[in-house]
Amino acid sequence: MKDAGRSALEKALSDSIEGEVRFDAGSRALYATDASNYRQVPIGVVVPKSIADVEKTVEFCHEFGAPVLSRGGGTSLCGQCCNVAIVIDFSKYLNRVLEIDREQRIARVQPGCVLDDLRDAATKHGLTFAPDPATHTHNTLGGMIGNNSCGPHSVMGGMTADNVIALDVLTYDGTRMTVGQVSQAEYESILAAGGRRAEIYRALRDLAARYAPLIRERFPAIPRRVSGYNLPALLPENGFDVARALVGSESTCAVTLEAKLRLVPNPPCRALLVLGYPDVYCAGDHVPEVLEFGPIALEGMDDRLIEDMTAVHLHPRDVKLLPEGRGWLMVEFGGDTRDEARDRAKRAMAALAKRRDAPRMKLFGDPGEEACIWRVREAGLGATAHVPDKPVTWEGWEDSSVPPEKLGEYLRKLRALFEQYDYGCDLYGHFGQGCVHTRIDFDLETAAGIDKFRRFLRDAATLAVSLGGSVSGEHGDGQSKAELLPIMFGDELIQALREFKRIWDPDLKMNPGKVVDAYRADQNLRLGTSYSPPVLETRFKFPADAGNFSRTLLRCVGVGECRKKGGTMCPSYMATREEQHSTRGRARLLFEMSKGEVLQGGWGEQAVYDALHLCLSCKGCKGECPVHVDMATYKAEFLSHYYERHARPFAAQVFGRIDRVARFASHFARAGNFFMRSAPFAGIAKRVLGVARERELPPFARASFVSSLRDRRSHGAGAPRLILWPDTFNNYFHPATAHAALALLEHAGYAVDVPRSHVCCGRPLYEWGFVDEARRYLRDMMTRFERDIRDGTRIVVLEPACASVFRDELTDLFPDDEQAKRLSRQVVLLSELMASEPQRFPPAHLTRRAIVHAHCHHKAVLKTDALAHALDNLGLDYTLLDSGCCGMAGSFGFEADKYEVSIACAERVLAPAVREARDDTLVIANGFSCREQIRQLTGRRALHLADVCKLALDARHSACG
């Protein structure tokens, strides 16, 4: 589309719809790819607020001849979710569950509705939507309808097509209609009414009649077949179901505006049985016999997947739960009670135990352990994408399927084919329905590698079809599988698919180049032979990617886990629902920045800066992203270069160097507090610093922790020695917490040293791109504490954000420095020390209720097992909130242009939970920022673990007294 036409279309849309119209380079770059190997830069992006917006958008696209692409969660793996088109993103606004009819077991949803939102709503009525892909926390129903998605529980209720009753659709020419199963009387009524709908229905009936014998012959009757258009739905024996015929059409025929879906009873209780076999092929052989016991899910995985998970430290404790074996089947049973579900599992175990080749078996009784095993299976894609010392792996043959009774044979022959082509990969998937997932180390950068890639695809397709299988059993055709469809269907049926598309879309403007008349698998590659990223000099070393930042920027595979609503990742996306503010969106823009085509500003690119501006540097992505994208580090790296070209705001000098500011201000604390907290001076200070007027600047302590120890003598001669780290916030703002920690450690029998000179880990510097300065801080510390580091002296750190510097940034900046490695291992949180030497911290009996908010770095980098141990040891009846990031995140929550996002983060879970807590409930938060956010939003004083331990000590002393 020429620039003049693009500009005219943009203006027409902007003038006519309520939603958001985005034709800027940043937005186009953001939507240039999905989770596939492909990249096509869109003409523009529309985020509609209403169905009327969608209708108007399609109307103007038709007028200007612009192609249209409907988009849900953007997690498609075959390239169907990127195109040179107007991308309509339904996920931000058109995302509601419209109705749940318990009696009829029906749901009505908008296309942008996230699957888990529907499932949560249906669960209240004892129902569920059966298909549940691994992306269930963030994929959309519109996307599932487009791809005919499945998931583990399709064993229980079928694919998406089996659960669609009716669709409200819009064609490219503006015809809107509701489609579903059509009786003969209804068909005749439609024809009598005339118009475009009648024309479509007549053509579809004729198509089905002409090709019926071939459809019955060539479409495999297997549990998983989503290749091609769903022509069998048009046959008379299947009720001439036009809605189901459209399921899996990948936005190439019509836009889905609303869906009526079938719900199924949701077994309220589950039991998980895991079977261990000598290898994955043997596991595949035994699928038919396991299906005899009526499981509601049957998944499989091989030993290579577990090895790769171990290599990338993904769910390391979870994989240890598996029974002995080198191939596993996960078998889930359902029931009205837990005993009923377990009895079904036990009956299966008893029968299997009698077999000559009985597997190793483990029946899980703890729901938490069951969840751990499911995490192992669902993390397959992420676990295999970026494994140390292995090539990057890609989609391309990631969801083939065969009849379940031929699964073992297929797995053996598929592995032989991999070896023939010298490809390494893991095997896992929905074995109960014969669907196999894998990512393969294709070379997609050289002509020889790409030619080999295409030859392999053709051989793999021939293999699957020879066993009665399908080239796609879950993820659709898009671009990567489309050229393989003739192998599966033959030329005549390909013509039928072509005719089906033209019946709906005679202008060929609906997601063109996908499914039929499609691009080849080697076109539009995100990499390809032209991929030549610049060598970017970086301050961080990125050792996990061999020091290659270009490889780092390939880390995001687009699975979209950052778009979920729970956990820590990604707080800014949860607050804004904007792709730009998801971890994935930011990673995409950094990739596009390095590519230099759409985004040409390099390290000074404004679109990247804008996307990173609302990143809270929570490190939730590093902990929860399956491929460990570390956006906090990427942000610090980017800003360190960006501010070489742009002036830093004054706030950067104050907040970035808060340790120096606090050190200076501590000498004038009384006067400083007066001016910062009294009108009109406070208002002036906030304006100068860019602080939100709603915020209150935290007061400095009248005496810092370190200054109050001036006359302190060392204690505990001969006792084990520790260093208590006086971080900036507990030293200058909350010294009572540091004193509580000191008292606890000395009571535990340690000889505690506190550095008397000013020290700081440099954490705030990263948020403003002062990476060189932060590096100097760490280098100076390693020099100053050289002897202690070499002696192995443990350093107890109270602030999780500081501890994460030593565990994370330190070794990223100094990956080859042995002192840095030692220091990283010697830094411990108070809770970690308590867990490691429990004999020094006897159990307490506070018998108090508590709600606990864990700092985001604590959850992401340091993990909270030791914290839970400490809380248990204190005798608390506590709830660890799934509250994500508090939203304060250092200076983030104070800044005026980030205030609303900060509040939205806190109000999602944390602030309401604190307000609802009884007055005698302890509120525990170890992060200074977290405690400050809680104080400012709720008026409650949150306690550090050290403060709670001090309460326990005082209670013990009172009891003894």
Side-chain angles (χ1 to χ4, degrees):
M1 194 172 192
K2 295 182 178 179
D3 290 343
R6 180 185 292 118
S7 298
L9 176 56
E10 178 184 11
K11 185 177 187 309
L13 289 169
S14 299
D15 291 346
S16 304
I17 72 170
E18 183 187 3
E20 298 157 16
V21 178
R22 304 171 181 175
F23 279 53
D24 60 283
S27 295
R28 294 170 62 230
L30 195 63
Y31 288 82
T33 188
D34 47 16
S36 72
N37 299 332
Y38 302 100
R39 173 181 177 271
Q40 291 176 278
V41 181
I43 297 167
V45 178
V46 172
V47 185
K49 289 187 175 181
S50 66
I51 297 301
D53 279 353
V54 180
E55 292 179 300
K56 208 69 179 172
T57 298
V58 174
E59 176 187 333
F60 279 113
C61 287
H62 185 262
E63 179 181 332
F64 284 85
V68 172
L69 166 60
S70 300
R71 190 176 192 266
T75 61
S76 295
L77 284 160
C78 298
Q80 59 265 61
C81 213
C82 55
N83 214 323
V84 182
I86 296 299
V87 174
I88 305 176
D89 185 349
F90 288 88
S91 64
K92 184 176 181 181
Y93 297 116
L94 296 176
N95 54 24
R96 293 185 298 129
V97 177
L98 300 173
E99 179 188 8
I100 299 286
D101 185 330
R102 180 179 181 178
E103 299 304 317
Q104 298 295 317
R105 296 181 180 173
I106 286 172
R108 288 193 306 112
V109 299
Q110 293 180 312
C113 176
V114 169
L115 172 58
D116 270 5
D117 289 348
L118 170 61
R119 296 206 303 171
D120 290 346
T123 295
K124 297 174 184 176
H125 303 284
L127 303 169
T128 193
F129 188 68
D132 59 339
T135 52
H136 55 84
T137 62
H138 53 283
N139 69 19
T140 68
L141 271 302
M144 290 182 67
I145 291 165
N147 288 348
N148 195 8
S149 299
C150 306
H153 293 97
S154 297
V155 170
M156 176 176 67
M159 302 183 293
T160 296
D162 301 316
N163 294 280
V164 167
I165 298 170
L167 297 174
D168 182 5
V169 300
L170 178 70
T171 62
Y172 186 71
D173 61 13
T175 302
R176 183 175 175 181
M177 66 182 91
T178 298
V179 298
Q181 192 174 80
V182 180
S183 67
Q184 182 60 30
E186 289 169 324
Y187 176 71
E188 292 172 358
S189 175
I190 290 168
L191 294 190
R196 176 79 170 112
R197 187 186 186 198
E199 177 186 320
I200 291 173
Y201 272 66
R202 183 183 294 108
L204 291 175
R205 177 69 71 90
D206 175 68
L207 175 75
R210 286 187 289 112
Y211 289 99
L214 267 179
I215 293 172
R216 294 185 182 106
E217 175 190 341
R218 298 299 297 267
F219 276 80
I222 57 177
R224 290 290 186 94
R225 191 278 310 159
V226 301
S227 292
Y229 294 128
N230 197 22
L231 300 186
L234 297 176
L235 297 177
E237 61 265 31
N238 295 323
F240 190 59
D241 196 323
V242 178
R244 292 188 180 184
L246 279 176
V247 174
S249 57
E250 302 179 7
S251 185
T252 62
C253 295
V255 178
T256 297
L257 304 176
E258 185 183 308
K260 180 187 288 187
L261 306 173
R262 178 175 75 106
L263 301 177
V264 298
N266 185 25
C269 297
R270 313 283 176 98
L272 181 63
L273 170 65
V274 180
L275 308 175
Y277 293 91
D279 53 49
V280 73
Y281 319 114
C282 186
D285 291 336
H286 286 75
V287 162
E289 70 177 18
V290 176
L291 284 171
E292 294 173 7
F293 302 107
I296 62 173
L298 177 52
E299 301 290 285
M301 52 192 175
D302 72 357
D303 55 325
R304 297 190 185 201
L305 175 64
I306 302 307
E307 289 170 2
D308 283 348
M309 283 192 176
T310 303
V312 298
H313 309 293
L314 189 64
H315 308 308
R317 289 162 294 186
D318 299 348
V319 299
K320 293 179 181 178
L321 296 171
L322 294 170
E324 182 181 339
R326 299 187 67 81
W328 295 269
L329 294 179
M330 296 169 52
V331 194
E332 187 176 66
F333 295 90
D336 291 333
T337 65
R338 190 156 184 82
D339 285 344
E340 182 182 344
R342 288 177 62 80
D343 285 346
R344 289 176 177 169
K346 288 177 180 177
R347 285 198 294 272
M349 294 174 71
L352 291 171
K354 297 176 183 177
R355 307 289 170 92
R356 182 175 56 82
D357 50 356
R360 297 297 179 99
M361 295 180 269
K362 187 171 183 180
L363 177 61
F364 290 86
D366 178 63
E369 289 188 343
E370 292 177 358
C372 289
I373 295 298
W374 278 111
R375 283 201 300 267
V376 171
R377 166 58 190 87
E378 290 179 350
L381 188 156
T384 58
H386 290 263
V387 181
D389 303 317
K390 288 187 177 182
V392 177
T393 62
W394 305 95
E395 64 90 359
W397 190 251
E398 76 296 322
D399 69 324
S400 54
S401 65
V402 296
E405 61 272 17
K406 294 188 177 181
L407 180 60
E409 179 184 359
Y410 177 59
L411 291 172
R412 290 180 178 88
K413 290 181 176 179
L414 184 59
R415 176 62 71 193
L417 188 63
F418 290 147
E419 292 174 354
Q420 176 186 330
Y421 276 87
D422 196 25
Y423 288 141
C425 64
D426 307 342
L427 296 170
Y428 54 98
H430 311 297
F431 282 14
Q433 294 190 308
C435 183
V436 179
H437 290 320
T438 186
R439 288 177 68 87
I440 304 174
D441 51 338
F442 297 123
D443 168 10
L444 299 178
E445 297 182 42
T446 68
I450 294 169
D451 177 66
K452 177 182 172 182
F453 156 69
R454 284 190 74 206
R455 286 187 284 109
F456 167 82
L457 291 183
R458 298 191 69 82
D459 286 348
T462 301
L463 169 62
V465 171
S466 73
L467 294 175
S470 171
V471 299
S472 179
E474 182 163 36
H475 298 148
D477 301 318
Q479 178 177 342
S480 66
K481 305 287 184 60
E483 71 169 312
L484 304 175
L485 294 181
I487 296 173
M488 181 173 170
F489 293 120
D491 291 340
E492 270 193 272
L493 268 185
I494 292 299
Q495 179 58 29
L497 300 180
R498 188 175 291 118
E499 290 180 32
F500 182 84
K501 157 99 170 155
R502 288 180 179 272
I503 289 168
W504 292 99
D505 177 32
D507 295 307
L508 303 181
K509 294 293 186 180
M510 296 297 296
N511 203 12
K514 315 293 173 169
V515 186
V516 295
D517 298 319
Y519 297 105
R520 299 189 314 270
D522 61 347
Q523 292 179 287
N524 303 318
L525 289 171
R526 188 155 29 129
L527 301 185
T529 57
S530 63
Y531 177 65
S532 183
V535 177
L536 298 173
E537 296 295 329
T538 59
R539 291 173 166 87
F540 286 95
K541 303 305 180 184
F542 302 102
D545 295 308
N548 184 344
F549 192 56
S550 293
R551 179 178 170 118
T552 297
L553 296 182
L554 293 177
R555 185 166 282 275
C556 176
V557 295
V559 70
E561 186 79 6
C562 46
R563 288 169 58 101
K564 60 187 172 65
K565 294 182 181 178
T568 304
M569 175 184 71
C570 173
S572 49
Y573 176 77
M574 288 186 234
T576 66
R577 306 285 295 174
E578 284 281 358
E579 176 73 15
Q580 174 191 29
H581 297 132
S582 68
T583 303
R584 179 179 72 179
R586 292 170 176 134
R588 292 269 170 77
L589 290 175
L590 283 164
F591 172 82
E592 292 290 336
M593 176 198 82
S594 72
K595 196 169 183 67
E597 293 178 6
V598 183
L599 302 182
Q600 301 178 356
W603 288 119
E605 176 57 56
Q606 191 63 36
V608 177
Y609 176 86
D610 291 343
L612 291 170
H613 186 62
L614 291 182
C615 172
L616 289 93
S617 298
C618 69
K619 287 192 174 286
C621 48
K622 180 155 190 175
E624 296 178 11
C625 170
V627 289
H628 303 303
V629 168
D630 182 5
M631 195 52 61
T633 298
Y634 307 169
K635 175 185 176 182
E637 182 68 51
F638 174 81
L639 290 179
S640 72
H641 300 279
Y642 180 85
Y643 283 128
E644 290 176 342
R645 308 181 183 196
H646 300 82
R648 281 187 176 88
F650 179 66
Q653 311 302 328
V654 176
F655 292 125
R657 297 188 171 106
I658 188 63
D659 66 299
R660 301 183 202 177
V661 172
R663 180 186 183 190
F664 174 79
S666 67
H667 299 295
F668 313 98
R670 189 187 298 266
N673 290 338
F674 173 80
F675 283 107
M676 286 196 311
R677 298 165 69 84
S678 303
F681 309 109
I684 295 171
K686 290 177 186 178
R687 284 194 295 275
V688 171
L689 291 172
V691 170
R693 57 182 176 78
E694 297 89 347
R695 287 296 189 189
E696 182 182 274
L697 293 168
F700 295 101
R702 293 191 176 184
S704 70
F705 170 61
V706 170
S707 67
S708 68
L709 301 178
R710 195 166 291 127
D711 300 323
R712 174 179 177 269
R713 296 180 180 276
S714 297
H715 298 282
R721 182 168 169 271
L722 297 174
I723 294 173
L724 178 59
W725 183 258
D727 65 87
T728 296
F729 304 104
N730 287 307
N731 186 20
Y732 296 113
F733 294 93
H734 285 182
T737 294
H739 281 293
L742 179 60
L744 173 68
L745 294 174
E746 290 185 335
H747 183 269
Y750 295 104
V752 184
D753 277 349
V754 179
R756 302 304 174 85
S757 57
H758 178 74
V759 295
C760 179
C761 69
R763 162 61 66 199
L765 294 168
Y766 299 101
E767 313 313 315
W768 298 93
F770 291 112
V771 178
D772 288 336
E773 199 165 327
R775 182 184 174 91
R776 287 195 295 272
Y777 272 44
L778 292 172
R779 174 60 74 191
D780 290 347
M781 182 188 167
M782 286 190 289
T783 300
R784 189 184 309 184
F785 294 92
E786 179 180 7
R787 177 46 52 197
D788 289 305
I789 296 171
R790 293 192 186 281
D791 289 346
T793 305
R794 285 172 294 181
I795 302 174
V796 179
V797 176
L798 301 177
E799 173 60 42
C802 299
S804 74
V805 169
F806 298 122
R807 296 278 187 86
D808 193 12
E809 281 88 354
L810 175 64
T811 53
D812 214 346
L813 288 166
F814 302 95
D816 302 317
D817 190 309
E818 294 303 318
Q819 279 289 78
K821 295 175 185 176
R822 294 186 189 101
L823 175 57
S824 179
R825 291 191 293 265
Q826 289 165 219
V827 165
V828 294
L829 290 170
L830 178 61
S831 57
E832 293 173 329
L833 179 70
M834 295 172 69
S836 67
E837 298 191 355
Q839 71 278 7
R840 294 183 178 273
F841 302 92
H845 303 284
L846 281 179
T847 61
R848 296 277 297 274
R849 290 183 180 177
I851 55 174
V852 183
H853 169 76
H855 187 282
C856 48
H857 289 196
H858 197 159
K859 289 177 283 192
V861 176
L862 309 167
K863 308 307 178 187
T864 58
D865 290 354
L867 175 61
H869 177 275
L871 296 170
D872 290 335
N873 200 49
L874 287 165
L876 293 170
D877 176 13
Y878 67 93
T879 299
L880 184 61
L881 299 174
D882 181 17
S883 45
C885 180
C886 72
M888 187 63 89
S891 64
F892 183 99
F894 286 98
E895 296 170 58
D897 57 349
K898 300 173 180 175
Y899 175 76
E900 289 185 6
V901 170
S902 172
I903 299 303
C905 291
E907 293 293 347
R908 190 177 67 84
V909 174
L910 176 59
V914 173
R915 293 190 194 103
E916 293 167 8
R918 290 174 16 178
D919 291 344
D920 61 349
T921 299
L922 298 177
V923 180
I924 302 174
N926 287 341
F928 169 78
S929 294
C930 311
R931 299 198 296 277
E932 190 62 24
Q933 181 80 301
I934 291 168
R935 182 184 72 82
Q936 295 206 19
L937 295 188
T938 71
R940 293 287 297 271
R941 175 177 175 249
L943 303 177
H944 189 284
L945 175 63
D947 300 316
V948 181
C949 290
K950 180 71 162 50
L951 288 178
L953 279 180
D954 292 344
R956 187 177 294 134
H957 291 156
S958 296
C960 292

